[in-house]
Amino acid sequence: MTNHWIDIQNSDAVLIIGSNAAEHHPVAFKWVMRAKDRGAALMHVDPKFSRTSARCDFHVPLRSGTDIAFLGGMINHILEKELYFKEYVEKYTNAAFVVGKNYAFNDGLFSGFNAAARRYDKSMWAMETGPDGGPVIDPSFKNERCVINLMRKHYSRYTLKNVSDITGVSQDNLLKVYDRFCATGKPDKAGTIMYALGWTQHTVGVQNIRCSALIQLLLGNIGVAGGGINALRGEPNVQGSTDHALLYNNLPGYHATPNASWQTLAEYNKANTPVTALKNSANWWSNRPKYMTSLLKGWFGDAATPENDFCYAYLPKLEPGQDYSYMYVMDKMYHGKLEGGFIFGVNPMNSFPNTNKMRAALDKLDWLVCSELHHSETTDNWQRPGSDPKSQKTEVFLLPSAHRIEKEGTISNSGRWLQWFDQGVKPAGEARNFADIFVPLFNKIRALYTAEGGVLPEPILKMHWTEKFKADEWTKRINGFFWADTKVGDKTYKRGQLVPAFGALTADGSTSSLNWVYAGSYTEEEGNKSKRRDTTQTPMQAAIGLYPNWSWCWPVNRRILYNRASVDENGKPWNPERAVIAWENGKWTGDVPDGPWPPMADKEKGKLPFIMMKDGHGGFFASGPADGPLPEHYEPAETPLSSHVFSKQLSSPVYKFHSSDMDQVAPPADPRYPIVLTTYSLTEHWCGGGETRNVPNLLETEPQLYVEMSHELAREKGIQNGDGVIVESARGRVEAIAMVTIRIRPFTVMGKTVHLIGMPFAYGWTTPKCGDSTNRLTIGACDPNTTIPEAKACCVNLHKADTLTEIG
Amino acid sequence: MPKSFLIDTTRCTACRGCQVACKEWKDLPANDTKQRGSHQNPPDLNPYNYKIVRFHEHLDEYGAVVWNFFPDQCRHCTIPLCKDVADRAVPGAIIKDSKSGAVLVTEKSAELGPKNAQAVINACPYNIPRLDPKTKRLTKCDMCADRIAKGMQPICVKTCPTGTMVFGEREEILALAQKRLESVKRRFPKAFLADVRDVNVVYLLAEEKEHYHEYAAFL
């Protein structure tokens, strides 16, 4: 979230799209209700009517996978009707930047496309630069290659008719949402967009989210109270795991993982440290070398010295262009290229798409280590229905895991708050938390390397490690320490003391921090700030529900990101009633501002609001995404259409996929699979249900796999409510119970009727007779930026079942 | 002064925290349920579920989907008919706690026998009590008498995340209910408080009771 949960109450318009907030965030949804109490418009745009829709002012059904068309229509609406917040757009965004001459967009393809490699040369999308290397800016907007002019042209195709034709949303309903949300393009109004996996799990996931950035920048909704782009994280601690780089392509603190072309720290820093020519751009990432050195220092301690490049050489290097994400790992496993592995904290044999392939892949392992609360479809894959346990070669080591309430530590919520939780009860029997499994394991490995040597022992033996895991100690390590006596301002810190904030981190090896964004969370002065539960606030903070002394929030306790954009050039809040920060008597009040500098009116010291962008401006046009500098509608990898109105390019030209014999994909508009399937979770089960199916009172409420469908489709197929149904895709077959409902209705798409059905993915065969993985139907087609698979849209067919074997 | 609940169904998200929390607090075993084409599960109140959320959907006059949620439970009537009927057969089988206003089923209800027990069930305008075939006792919500005796809120109210359920002194709850009703009426002109004078569990419904549940309101 750019903002935080409580802040949702400050919204005048809440657009919930790509999320089922009430069902998946039932407790936090109270802040949405609070916004409603204060008169906000609540809108839910989603393929099906859900418990979220029930509490909104209205629901707009959208064909799954057409969010960009829907939002592109809104962008067109804003630009055509000039509904944008002009001063904000002109001063704070790159609307006036001139795009380089190499940029082009032609019939669904951007310039620089290499069809053989399914990849763009993103340098073709670079901004035009002046003699100083800085961007060429045309404040008159006369240059036709000004970003806003290119946007206007790009989205001019997203007319109400075209958008309605593709999305299946009536023009009336489109305008209903556009009008209400665009009303927040005024200085004293704010609109928020709340999304979750309904946006990310598409072959265009990143561009779905980019669309929201375009809209929110146009309407001046970033940085303000009640605004922002708010990703709903959850109990799996996605915020914390993203911050701490659970995925392969980042190091903790949002640094790229080194690749083979960056052999030294200097090479790494050169490639990853942006330089700006604009004096009033803070260009915060210019600090990256300080954070990288401090991270290396955190990992290797005294072994990391300037002379040995702070042990940078010990970090594994990726092959450029190679994808090491889980979908690729599973494909390698399927092809027999992995011998064994650890699967922790996830149940791929239920939760990953195209599960039949996943299950076949796991069979290829010689050994597998899992740690779980309960037996899962993954731990017990070798004895799944249809498998002969005697012929399975995989040796499975199942370690009993502690439950999360059986340990202490921190969790980061959607609003980036770091909150400490205590141990509720001790783990039962021999169960251990993950750290108490990993730390002794790594110590055993270290002992073996010490005793026997081995290839490249240094990264393992020189690691600044621990004998026994203590959550408090690692919270401190994440914050960071001084490794030499250091003076910060007028205060001297001793070696071994905690760093007060990331401003104190250095590139010379005198500081460590396992994650710079968390520096300042645990200090000598105030201790462990994740434990703070103080509701003290100023009247200005109270007006927007900001509690600066409750827990701690990264970065530097700033509760609303980009808050410099909530004020005008003189530091005066756009909306004084809901001010986030204000420049008064030569200093900032309210939230922690995005940097200490004075407002922009100070031509010497003032800074632009978008401090994480090289040139300080919010980016409508961005050369970062792999699939284009502006979001463009493409159909899902499997689509009921053979063409669409926006271009000849049916699906994303660069989405990722595999092509094994088990990666079957139905061709466009395949009459064998005419129905769109979307998948989701539900309130009563957690994710894949591995835990909650083992809680009898929860299983009682949602006992078995169902498929939600319209009355129209049910009639067409001769299916009654409660009937057993077989759902089939090109990849698999799944049994479910029909839930025939008005909550799902057929779509009219380009003049023809398209049916959509929805299924939860919370059921698996280890719970007897509840059904088995819905993901046996879903497709392994992935977003080109994140490699997140398209679990939200694929094509299927269904018929009434004669008998059921998976459900009883 | 008796206690009352307000259940403002216009705030309910049917998360079923109340339904599950009730079972957890009362330590009631799970039923072996099936998916029957509805989220409402268990399908009805039963000896192991004193509270269930009922789901009802229909299209409004403009063709928009309306999905109503009704967290169903004993209304703790001001003059409980169940008690009158039970008293005729086994005095003390059902009692009314004068302090809290809670209508409580006692162990003596086992002495009612199937016929009288059924008469008690039939007497309830809201179709709440159920007969436990194992203990032969009647079962239903007891307002978490053990909790409120200790100054705590009933567990369903404590669990409710959206403010759908509020519990307190009857006078305060009635005032709050009126206030909420006025506010809700702006959007839902047909909104009303179900049987407000006769019950201590006051439901705020946005439209006719038929769109919630057959026994959502008596009058």
Side-chain angles (χ1 to χ4, degrees):
Chain A
M1 281 188 173
T2 53
N3 297 43
H4 58 94
W5 274 109
I6 297 176
D7 183 66
I8 304 290
Q9 72 178 10
N10 296 315
S11 292
D12 297 296
V14 180
L15 177 56
I16 305 174
I17 174 166
S19 126
N20 183 357
E23 296 199 28
H24 300 154
H25 301 84
V27 177
F29 195 74
K30 68 181 167 192
W31 300 111
V32 180
M33 295 297 289
R34 191 73 65 92
K36 191 182 185 186
D37 292 342
R38 293 171 164 208
L42 262 55
M43 298 165 270
H44 192 212
V45 180
D46 198 86
K48 77 164 199 289
F49 188 102
S50 67
R51 288 178 260 190
T52 299
S53 324
R55 289 285 71 86
C56 286
D57 294 354
F58 58 88
H59 166 248
V60 169
L62 173 84
R63 175 168 65 97
S64 193
T66 63
D67 301 67
I68 292 173
F70 183 91
L71 298 170
M74 184 158 9
I75 295 167
N76 186 40
H77 184 79
I78 295 168
L79 291 171
E80 243 185 16
K81 307 250 185 278
E82 305 232 336
L83 301 172
Y84 53 93
F85 184 171
K86 290 201 178 57
E87 194 177 344
Y88 186 106
V89 166
E90 286 169 12
K91 304 230 162 90
Y92 295 163
T93 74
N94 69 5
F97 283 34
V98 176
V99 175
K101 293 191 174 70
N102 287 333
Y103 168 78
F105 177 76
N106 191 5
D107 207 9
L109 287 175
F110 295 93
S111 48
F113 183 58
N114 176 340
R118 286 179 70 81
R119 193 167 289 170
Y120 281 110
D121 172 4
K122 296 194 276 186
S123 69
M124 300 292 277
W125 311 332
M127 294 290 176
E128 193 157 306
T129 49
D132 61 352
V136 175
I137 300 174
D138 175 11
S140 74
F141 295 102
K142 287 202 177 106
N143 191 317
E144 62 177 14
R145 283 181 290 109
C146 270
V147 164
I148 199 162
N149 297 329
L150 291 178
M151 274 169 69
R152 212 172 252 128
K153 191 173 162 204
H154 189 86
Y155 292 106
S156 64
R157 296 166 297 136
Y158 288 67
T159 59
L160 286 177
K161 179 174 184 324
N162 283 348
V163 172
S164 177
D165 273 355
I166 286 300
T167 56
V169 179
S170 71
Q171 294 193 28
D172 281 352
N173 270 345
L174 289 175
L175 283 174
K176 215 163 146 184
V177 177
Y178 295 175
D179 285 343
R180 280 168 182 75
F181 200 72
C182 296
T184 65
K186 304 207 163 49
D188 60 346
K189 296 285 177 204
T192 182
I193 296 181
M194 298 168 67
Y195 78 91
L197 301 178
W199 265 6
T200 58
Q201 291 177 332
H202 288 282
T203 46
V204 293
V206 164
Q207 298 287 9
N208 283 336
I209 297 152
R210 281 270 301 142
C211 269
S212 68
L214 268 59
I215 289 169
Q216 293 296 59
L217 285 174
L218 281 169
L219 299 174
N221 276 335
I222 301 283
V224 304
I229 301 169
N230 293 310
L232 313 186
R233 321 297 207 163
E235 200 180 316
N237 198 7
V238 174
Q239 186 63 55
S241 60
T242 308
D243 300 339
H244 290 294
L246 190 74
L247 304 180
Y248 80 94
N249 56 338
N250 271 190
L251 302 182
Y254 302 94
H255 306 296
T257 304
N259 70 45
S261 56
W262 308 326
Q263 285 296 318
T264 65
L265 183 56
E267 283 168 1
Y268 178 92
N269 284 335
K270 186 161 187 289
N272 291 286
T273 310
V275 178
T276 183
L278 300 185
K279 199 175 99 183
N280 61 350
S281 170
N283 184 25
W284 197 264
W285 281 119
S286 64
N287 292 303
R288 193 183 310 267
K290 300 172 192 171
Y291 307 150
M292 262 308 279
T293 301
S294 296
L295 177 60
L296 290 164
K297 202 70 192 164
W299 278 338
F300 296 105
D302 280 327
T305 64
E307 293 71 34
N308 67 10
D309 220 10
F310 299 107
C311 300
Y312 174 80
Y314 296 162
L315 301 187
K317 313 286 186 299
L318 307 176
E319 279 305 312
Q322 286 296 303
D323 191 317
Y324 299 83
S325 69
Y326 66 87
M327 289 299 285
Y328 280 74
V329 170
M330 294 307 295
D331 188 62
K332 280 198 187 85
M333 193 189 289
Y334 179 68
H335 288 104
K337 291 177 184 162
L338 291 175
E339 264 177 45
F342 286 61
I343 298 180
F344 275 45
V346 63
N347 181 8
M349 302 307 123
N350 193 49
S351 298
F352 286 7
N354 195 5
T355 320
N356 285 328
K357 179 188 175 188
M358 302 300 148
R359 292 175 176 182
L362 204 65
D363 289 344
K364 308 273 171 86
L365 293 186
D366 293 335
W367 58 271
L368 170 67
V369 183
C370 291
S371 177
E372 281 292 344
L373 288 171
H374 305 281
H375 289 255
S376 74
E377 289 71 37
T378 301
T379 65
D380 288 26
N381 185 54
W382 54 280
Q383 52 172 344
R384 69 184 180 276
S387 151
D388 173 15
K390 285 192 194 117
S391 70
Q392 292 285 2
K393 66 169 180 171
T394 315
E395 186 176 7
V396 182
F397 302 88
L398 176 55
L399 309 175
S401 168
H403 192 276
R404 64 193 168 283
I405 65 162
E406 294 170 337
K407 59 184 178 183
E408 62 172 4
T410 64
I411 193 162
S412 299
N413 79 1
S414 303
R416 297 163 285 105
W417 298 9
L418 184 73
Q419 300 190 104
W420 186 269
F421 58 90
D422 293 320
Q423 186 180 46
V425 286
K426 296 233 178 298
E430 295 182 311
R432 294 185 190 185
N433 70 49
F434 287 175
D436 286 332
I437 294 171
F438 279 120
V439 170
L441 176 67
F442 194 56
N443 283 334
K444 182 80 184 167
I445 291 168
R446 281 158 66 92
L448 284 168
Y449 269 99
T450 307
E452 299 172 14
V455 179
L456 195 62
E458 292 87 352
I460 288 157
L461 296 179
K462 290 194 174 171
M463 177 113 351
H464 175 48
W465 195 239
T466 186
E467 275 307 304
K468 184 158 174 31
F469 175 78
K470 290 186 201 78
D472 183 72
E473 179 196 341
W474 286 84
T475 310
K476 285 180 176 171
R477 286 194 188 210
I478 289 167
N479 175 82
F481 296 104
F482 289 101
W483 289 75
D485 294 358
T486 305
K487 210 166 172 208
V488 178
D490 51 8
K491 190 161 180 179
T492 302
Y493 289 90
K494 294 271 176 224
R495 176 186 157 100
Q497 287 195 301
L498 295 158
V499 296
F502 53 63
L505 299 178
T506 63
D508 64 4
S510 62
T511 58
S512 71
S513 171
L514 285 176
N515 196 330
W516 72 276
V517 302
Y518 284 98
S521 61
Y522 201 142
T523 63
E524 296 294 336
E525 294 79 10
E526 291 181 76
N528 185 349
K529 296 186 197 172
S530 70
K531 291 183 173 174
R532 298 191 306 177
R533 298 293 182 265
D534 177 355
T535 55
T536 311
Q537 56 187 174
T538 65
M540 181 180 171
Q541 292 162 344
I544 57 167
L546 194 147
Y547 294 91
N549 302 302
W550 184 279
S551 76
W552 180 89
C553 162
W554 74 257
V556 289
N557 207 28
R558 178 177 306 132
R559 303 292 166 135
I560 296 183
L561 295 179
Y562 307 113
N563 54 28
R564 292 176 81 86
S566 70
V567 296
D568 67 13
E569 285 191 307
N570 294 305
K572 191 171 161 292
W574 300 120
N575 181 358
E577 300 288 310
R578 284 174 296 195
V580 182
I581 57 169
W583 182 256
E584 288 165 349
N585 307 319
K587 65 179 177 65
W588 292 105
T589 56
D591 194 8
V592 177
D594 247 324
W597 319 283
M600 277 176 55
D602 185 329
K603 296 290 172 207
E604 281 305 304
K605 295 187 208 140
K607 296 287 182 206
L608 285 153
F610 291 93
I611 65 167
M612 303 314 284
M613 302 290 285
K614 181 178 82 159
D615 291 326
H617 292 71
F620 289 117
F621 188 96
S623 59
D627 40 0
L630 291 171
E632 168 70 1
H633 171 74
Y634 301 110
E635 284 292 307
E638 263 185 355
T639 164
L641 306 186
S642 54
S643 67
H644 65 81
V645 292
F646 294 106
S647 75
K648 284 208 185 69
Q649 187 61 41
L650 185 65
S651 295
S652 162
V654 292
Y655 78 77
K656 293 182 176 180
F657 62 94
H658 291 106
S659 46
S660 77
D661 59 331
M662 291 192 81
D663 283 289
Q664 299 298 317
V665 178
D670 188 337
R672 293 173 302 164
Y673 304 106
I675 301 166
V676 176
L677 167 71
T678 192
T679 64
Y680 35 77
S681 188
L682 62 162
T683 311
E684 291 78 1
H685 288 294
W686 187 42
C687 297
E691 179 180 343
T692 46
R693 280 183 267 125
N694 288 287
V695 179
N697 284 347
L698 292 175
L699 192 65
E700 178 193 73
T701 59
E702 288 289 359
Q704 291 172 327
L705 180 59
Y706 54 85
V707 48
E708 292 183 80
M709 69 181 79
S710 68
H711 287 276
E712 292 84 347
L713 177 62
R715 261 197 303 278
E716 225 173 79
K717 298 284 182 185
I719 292 167
Q720 304 285 325
N721 194 34
D723 279 351
V725 166
I726 310 288
V727 187
E728 286 174 297
S729 76
R731 296 158 295 280
R733 171 192 178 282
V734 171
E735 296 179 4
I737 301 297
M739 190 182 277
V740 181
T741 171
I742 55 174
R743 302 189 306 272
I744 289 189
R745 288 198 261 188
F747 293 94
T748 304
V749 179
M750 292 179 76
K752 77 170 191 177
T753 299
V754 173
H755 288 291
L756 177 142
I757 60 172
M759 297 172 77
F761 72 98
Y763 298 95
W765 65 267
T766 56
T767 304
K769 297 292 179 190
C770 79
D772 196 7
S773 176
T774 296
N775 279 311
R776 289 172 296 167
L777 302 168
T778 54
I779 187 169
C782 305
D783 179 281
N785 301 283
T786 60
T787 325
I788 293 177
E790 194 157 56
K792 294 298 182 204
C794 69
C795 287
V796 298
N797 208 341
L798 58 85
H799 62 269
K800 190 174 163 174
D802 296 328
T803 53
L804 294 177
T805 56
E806 296 174 356
I807 298 179
Chain B
M1 187 66 188
K3 307 277 186 188
S4 287
F5 296 67
L6 170 64
I7 302 186
D8 178 355
T9 61
T10 68
R11 302 186 75 79
C12 179
T13 59
C15 72
R16 293 196 271 194
C18 55
Q19 176 179 323
V20 174
C22 176
K23 292 198 74 133
E24 294 280 331
W25 183 257
K26 300 289 182 194
D27 214 7
L28 296 166
N31 295 284
D32 185 14
T33 54
K34 303 283 178 214
Q35 177 52 257
R36 304 155 293 111
S38 168
H39 287 295
Q40 188 175 310
N41 236 332
D44 197 6
L45 297 170
N46 63 73
Y48 302 151
N49 289 81
Y50 305 159
K51 181 148 197 167
I52 62 160
V53 178
R54 298 184 185 275
F55 294 70
H56 185 279
E57 65 191 37
H58 68 102
L59 295 175
D60 71 9
E61 53 191 309
Y62 307 104
V65 179
V66 179
W67 201 9
N68 287 325
F69 311 127
F70 188 79
D72 197 8
Q73 64 166 89
C74 174
R75 309 299 196 276
H76 298 285
C77 297
T78 48
I79 302 171
L81 295 178
C82 57
K83 180 177 178 302
D84 285 355
V85 174
D87 277 349
R88 275 176 241 151
V90 181
I94 293 180
I95 57 172
K96 187 165 173 72
D97 178 48
S98 56
K99 199 170 163 207
S100 65
V103 177
L104 304 169
V105 171
T106 72
E107 68 279 3
K108 281 192 182 165
S109 66
E111 297 165 24
L112 284 168
K115 211 176 143 198
N116 288 325
Q118 192 56 48
V120 171
I121 293 167
N122 293 345
C124 174
Y126 305 103
N127 187 29
I128 296 296
R130 296 291 181 269
L131 183 62
D132 184 340
K134 274 193 192 148
T135 64
K136 315 289 185 205
R137 291 185 194 177
L138 288 170
T139 61
K140 68 167 200 67
C141 161
D142 66 355
M143 208 189 260
C144 282
D146 53 344
R147 290 178 59 89
I148 59 174
K150 291 209 155 47
M152 293 187 284
Q153 294 187 314
I155 195 67
C156 57
V157 177
K158 174 82 181 162
T159 306
C160 179
T162 56
T164 301
M165 276 182 275
V166 190
F167 179 79
E169 299 299 325
R170 179 167 176 85
E171 209 170 292
E172 290 166 21
I173 292 295
L174 292 186
L176 178 65
Q178 282 302 337
K179 211 174 131 195
R180 285 267 186 90
L181 177 65
E182 279 162 36
S183 156
V184 167
K185 268 196 160 173
R186 284 198 286 271
R187 178 145 188 246
F188 302 104
K190 293 181 190 167
F192 70 105
L193 300 172
D195 307 333
V196 60
R197 270 174 298 189
D198 304 324
V199 295
N200 278 316
V201 178
V202 179
Y203 285 86
L204 198 173
L205 305 180
E207 53 180 336
E208 296 88 346
K209 68 169 181 177
E210 290 76 10
H211 293 313
Y212 286 84
H213 167 48
E214 187 184 353
Y215 300 105
F218 184 65
L219 295 175

